Amino acid sequence: MTATQDTTQLTSHRTTRRTSQLTSRLTSQLTPQLTVRPAARRPAPGSAGATSTAVSTGSMRALLTCAVLTTPVFGIVSLTQAFTREGFDLLRHPLSMLSTGDLGWLQIGNFWITAVLTVAGAIGLRRVMRGTPGGTWAPRLLLVEGAGLAGAGVFSMDPGDGFPAGTPLGAPAGMSWHAMLHMASGSVAFTALIAACFVLGRHFARAGRARHAVASRLGGLALLLGNGWAMSGGRAGSLTLCVGVLVAMAWVSVVAAAKRADLGRR
């Protein structure tokens, strides 16, 4: 009996050991191997990673600076001409009419420069707003605005209603092909800028910045109403359009300045 009991215990011990080994092997095969890696570190000052980050931030700041400059460049050049060129009346003549006459090249260049600044600024905003509500469409709409401004520079309006000095009063009898393309380009630019302001309003609303959201929508509304009043032939429509354009552009410049300041806090 004793020999039989010893044999039984030995067999049981071997079976238990084999079962334990088999279980250990299966567990090691089924359990995913976890590799503990050291936490990512910020690039050390002077390293290649730090230099790359500095260059990227610097380029974004430069692009956003372009967006900041759009309003002062366009506004100063346009209004300086509006108050100094003989025969121009901001109550009757749109800023686009400054592209006519001997000094028309000043406003044409103003359109082109503003277009380049707008496109560069849109690229900068796309980078800093990536992944946020409105971060895709606001920059895209500003790119369209830039294209519209470039078109307005390529195609000029017709002289009329006493400007340039010596032009007969009243609207021209007809509209040239380049004047029609100028109007179409301007409409594209205005529509895109209005839409961009409302998209920025959504961007700030989703971020919990109610005042910025309201300001964005008011900027778009100012241009929408100013342009609508001008297109309807309302009194001093060219003035309301000028105010609406500058207000909407100014708000985009403010947004770009704020985003540029945020980069300095990172």
Side-chain angles (χ1 to χ4, degrees):
M1 294 294 292
T2 303
T4 302
Q5 291 177 351
D6 292 342
T7 302
T8 302
Q9 291 177 356
L10 181 59
T11 302
S12 176
H13 178 70
R14 289 177 177 175
T15 302
T16 301
R17 185 173 63 184
R18 290 178 180 176
T19 302
S20 177
Q21 291 175 348
L22 179 60
T23 302
S24 179
R25 290 177 182 175
L26 290 174
T27 302
S28 64
Q29 292 176 0
L30 295 176
T31 302
Q33 299 296 319
L34 300 178
T35 303
V36 179
R37 297 180 179 178
R41 298 180 179 178
R42 293 184 178 179
S47 65
T51 302
S52 177
T53 301
V55 170
S56 177
T57 301
S59 65
M60 284 192 291
R61 289 174 64 86
L63 291 170
L64 292 173
T65 300
C66 290
V68 174
L69 292 174
T70 54
T71 308
V73 168
F74 184 79
I76 291 173
V77 174
S78 296
L79 294 179
T80 299
Q81 294 182 83
F83 291 114
T84 58
R85 290 186 63 179
E86 183 183 359
F88 190 87
D89 183 356
L90 194 53
L91 296 177
R92 296 185 295 114
H93 302 133
L95 294 178
S96 293
M97 197 169 283
L98 291 167
S99 297
T100 61
D102 294 338
L103 296 177
W105 60 272
L106 288 171
Q107 189 67 359
I108 291 173
N110 192 24
F111 276 123
W112 288 347
I113 292 172
T114 306
V116 172
L117 292 174
T118 301
V119 170
I123 295 172
L125 286 172
R126 176 69 182 94
R127 293 182 181 179
V128 298
M129 294 175 64
R130 183 179 287 111
T132 64
T136 298
W137 277 104
R140 286 181 179 177
L141 289 166
L142 292 176
L143 284 174
V144 174
E145 181 204 353
L149 290 171
V154 173
F155 309 106
S156 60
M157 289 189 68
D158 295 324
D161 200 14
F163 186 82
T167 303
L169 295 176
M175 185 178 292
S176 66
W177 63 270
H178 51 82
M180 289 188 287
L181 288 176
H182 177 93
M183 296 290 288
S185 298
S187 296
V188 169
F190 296 155
T191 302
L193 180 54
I194 292 169
C197 286
F198 283 103
V199 172
L200 287 172
R202 176 177 176 271
H203 167 77
F204 287 116
R206 293 287 295 275
R209 304 175 71 174
R211 293 182 180 179
H212 286 69
V214 171
S216 296
R217 290 161 182 159
L218 288 177
L221 186 61
L223 178 51
L224 178 64
L225 295 178
N227 186 46
W229 182 253
M231 292 298 101
S232 68
R235 183 180 179 84
S238 57
L239 178 60
T240 63
L241 176 58
C242 173
V243 172
V245 168
L246 293 180
V247 168
M249 289 180 66
W251 178 246
V252 174
S253 292
V254 169
V255 171
K259 297 295 184 183
R260 186 178 183 275
D262 289 342
L263 288 176
R265 302 189 187 101
R266 295 180 182 178

